[in-house]
């Protein structure tokens, strides 16, 4: 933090910054962070590169312009209550840029040293099976069945994918950790312990409204548990304890049933991967979100996220023939030349400080996929020709295609 608001008097941003003199705006269970944690990125990127990353991936459509002001030499980023700003100095040129400090290594740094029979040696990969599964499937809305068929739970199926994938990657020399290695939560919070935060959240949302019903509070406490506290606990585990080079978040997609009371299988089946990006102007008004975006932008995660996503989706597409899923609207940004890869701001891909990709292959409730998932759910072991094996093998083959040199920092 270099200068107080007076510095902004000469910039158009002055009015904007002073418009927010209340306490820093924070997301639910968000942590106040020190802007000085960005000091290590001073003079690591040029102005052109900083703007390119914002405009093409992190904040397309100028959504950053309400909270970041540029001069030739530096970016001034709104902090806290808006009375001051964080000054990030640009490198004068790419040649004179300071090296980007980071704990993780890129495929380009790791893989050339690997051997022919251990082609992934030296790579430390964390696998993050999405959701909680087990007895928590119904609570998190990831549990369903068709007629008398088996119960399908995304959290359980992706845990099985993670276990099979771990064995495959270790055989090829990688070191692998599971962010969740059993059904159930990583967080030690419970819906009960989060009731005070749920009550406070309700009060913020309804400042003049009617008092909440017990069901209102229960619903919010459940959401804070499985969607917020759980992801924050996993982020702490990834950033502070596991500290991998890459995180693969394993999911299966699904489409909403047109008539949930009478579910029938759907036609579409598709595939995509997500990298961190597409922050809206509204999201960037939160102090914690703004800082977390800049950490991702400055530490160079995107080049690895894009490269791994491109390779893994190419492999999944060739193994399954699935077409790309296409987003409409501003919550996602397309990556040029990569129809399967999209940028989106999710809590996990924002909070995990190292490169992280979300895999969203297969529409679970489609005509093509459901019979395969039902067969997996009914079996105590992954099936030799089954979907779990196909998913894990395609991801493995994608990683073996790296480094592909498509996205340089
Ligand atoms: Zn999921």
């Amino acid at each position: 933090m270099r200068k107080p608001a007076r510095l902004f008097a000469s910039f158009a941003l002055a009015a904007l910054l002073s418009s927010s003199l209340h306490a820093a705006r924070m997301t639910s269970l968000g942590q106040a962070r020190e802007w000085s944690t960005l000091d290590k990125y001073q003079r690591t990127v040029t102005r052109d590169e900083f703007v390119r990353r914002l405009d093409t991936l992190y904040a397309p459509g100028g959504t950053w312009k309400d909270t970041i002001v540029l001069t030739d030499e530096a970016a001034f980023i709104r902090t806290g209550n808006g009375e001051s700003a964080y000054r990030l100095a640009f490198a004068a040129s790419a040649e004179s840029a300071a090296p980007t400090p980071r704990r993780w290594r890129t495929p380009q740094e790791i893989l050339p040293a690997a051997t022919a029979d251990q082609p992934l040696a030296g790579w430390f990969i964390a696998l993050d099976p999405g959701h909680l599964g087990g007895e928590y499937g119904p609570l998190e809305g990831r549990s369903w069945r068709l007629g008398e068929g088996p119960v399908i739970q995304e959290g359980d199926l992706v845990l099985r994918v993670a276990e099979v994938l771990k064995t495959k990657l270790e055989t090829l020399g990688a070191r692998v950790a599971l962010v969740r290695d059993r059904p159930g939560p990583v967080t030690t919070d419970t819906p009960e312990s989060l009731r005070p935060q749920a009550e406070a959240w309700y009060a913020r949302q309804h400042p003049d409204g009617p008092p909440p019903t017990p069901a209102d509070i229960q619903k919010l406490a459940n959401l804070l548990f499985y969607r917020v506290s759980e992801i924050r606990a996993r982020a702490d585990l990834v950033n502070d304890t596991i500290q991998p080079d890459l995180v693969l978040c394993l999911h299966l997609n699904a489409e909403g049933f047109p008539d949930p009371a009478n579910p029938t299988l759907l036609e579409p089946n598709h595939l995509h991967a997500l990298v961190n990006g597409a922050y809206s102007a509204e999201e960037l008004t939160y102090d914690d979100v703004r800082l977390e975006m800049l950490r991702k932008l400055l530490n160079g995660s995107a080049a690895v996220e894009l490269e791994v996503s491109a390779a893994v989706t190419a492999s999944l597409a060739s193994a399954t023939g699935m077409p790309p899923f296409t987003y409409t609207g501003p919550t996602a940004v397309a990556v040029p030349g990569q129809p399967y890869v999209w940028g989106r701001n999710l809590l996990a891909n924002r909070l995990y400080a190292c490169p992280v990709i979300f895999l969203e292959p297969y529409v679970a409730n489609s005509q093509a996929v459901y019979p395969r998932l039902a067969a997996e759910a009914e079996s105590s072991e992954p099936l030799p020709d089954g979907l779990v094996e196909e998913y894990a093998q395609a991801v493995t083959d994608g990683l073996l295609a790296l480094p592909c040199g498509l996205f340089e920092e």
Side-chain angles (χ1 to χ4, degrees):
M1 198 126 8
R2 302 288 171 90
K3 296 270 179 179
R6 207 151 43 79
L7 183 71
F8 284 87
S10 59
F11 300 124
L13 188 67
L16 217 159
L17 289 171
S18 59
S19 71
S20 168
L21 291 172
H22 49 74
R25 202 171 175 219
M26 302 285 291
T27 58
S28 296
L29 311 185
Q31 295 160 348
R33 293 185 194 276
E34 287 297 326
W35 284 83
S36 59
T37 56
L38 297 184
D39 287 352
K40 60 186 174 188
Y41 301 113
Q42 293 289 347
R43 295 184 179 78
T44 55
V45 291
T46 63
R47 185 185 197 279
D48 284 356
E49 178 60 12
F50 185 79
V51 173
R52 187 189 70 79
R53 293 182 192 180
L54 285 173
D55 284 345
T56 59
L57 183 61
Y58 288 99
T63 59
W64 54 272
K65 290 181 181 172
D66 289 348
T67 46
I68 301 175
V69 164
L70 304 181
T71 66
D72 286 348
E73 293 82 27
F76 291 87
I77 301 145
R78 184 166 118 182
T79 63
N81 59 14
E83 288 175 311
S84 57
Y86 181 81
R87 180 181 188 274
L88 179 82
F90 297 129
S93 68
E95 295 70 38
S96 66
T100 300
R102 59 185 168 223
R103 208 150 41 191
W104 45 271
R105 296 156 307 147
T106 68
Q108 280 84 354
E109 288 164 342
I110 300 163
L111 295 176
T115 58
D117 51 333
Q118 298 269 283
L120 301 181
W123 210 357
F124 184 23
I125 299 172
L127 304 177
D128 185 11
H131 314 288
L132 285 70
E135 63 182 286
Y136 295 88
L139 178 102
E140 60 181 347
R142 303 278 162 173
S143 180
W144 56 281
R145 70 190 299 199
L146 206 60
E148 295 304 303
V151 174
I152 305 288
Q153 296 208 138
E154 182 183 351
D156 296 338
L157 288 159
V158 292
L159 176 58
R160 197 177 267 195
V161 174
E163 288 163 347
V164 174
L165 180 55
K166 179 175 193 285
T167 303
K168 288 179 185 292
L169 299 180
E170 285 175 342
T171 303
L172 295 165
R175 193 173 143 218
V176 181
L178 296 190
V179 179
R180 169 172 77 83
D181 63 0
R182 69 198 78 178
V186 170
T187 178
T188 54
D189 285 332
T190 64
E192 294 319 304
S193 76
L194 290 163
R195 289 184 80 83
Q197 289 92 327
E199 283 163 6
W201 188 13
Y202 185 94
R204 278 199 305 278
Q205 285 180 323
H206 305 85
D208 306 310
T213 65
D216 290 333
I217 296 302
Q218 187 65 50
K219 193 173 161 201
L220 292 181
N222 288 348
L223 270 176
L224 285 175
F225 164 66
Y226 71 79
R227 191 172 288 170
V228 184
S229 172
E230 175 63 15
I231 301 298
R232 290 191 178 280
R234 292 191 199 192
D236 289 345
L237 193 59
V238 166
N239 293 339
D240 301 337
T241 304
I242 303 177
Q243 301 185 346
D245 298 311
L246 172 71
V247 185
L248 300 177
C249 296
L250 305 171
H251 290 255
L252 296 165
N253 218 333
E255 299 252 346
F257 283 117
D259 177 6
N262 183 23
T264 52
L265 295 176
L266 310 173
E267 195 72 53
N269 190 21
H270 47 65
L271 152 70
H272 72 288
L274 294 167
V275 301
N276 185 234
Y279 290 72
S280 70
E282 159 71 13
E283 287 165 341
L284 290 175
T285 63
Y286 290 91
D287 205 51
D288 51 336
V289 174
R290 204 159 54 250
L291 195 156
E292 286 152 4
M293 177 191 79
L294 284 156
R295 179 174 64 173
K296 290 292 288 186
L297 181 150
L298 290 167
N299 77 15
S301 284
V304 178
E305 293 180 358
L306 290 167
E307 172 151 352
V308 174
S309 300
V312 171
T313 54
S315 174
L316 275 163
S318 105
T320 64
M322 285 187 282
F325 175 73
T326 301
Y327 282 90
T328 53
T331 57
V333 58
V335 176
Q338 295 295 332
Y340 291 96
V341 184
W342 296 81
R344 255 184 94 182
N345 172 24
L346 308 173
L347 185 58
N349 73 4
R350 181 173 85 239
L351 292 182
Y352 295 7
C354 65
V356 44
I357 70 170
F358 267 67
L359 294 174
E360 293 279 1
Y362 305 106
V363 174
N365 52 345
S366 68
Q367 291 161 7
V369 173
Y370 170 77
R372 304 181 70 196
L373 288 183
E376 296 280 3
E378 279 173 331
S379 165
S380 57
E381 299 268 307
L383 300 168
D385 301 322
L387 181 142
V388 168
E389 169 65 25
E390 179 181 85
Y391 189 159
Q393 187 59 47
V395 173
T396 304
D397 292 342
L399 296 180
L400 284 171
L402 293 166
C404 61
L406 271 179
F407 298 92
E408 301 292 339
E409 229 181 279

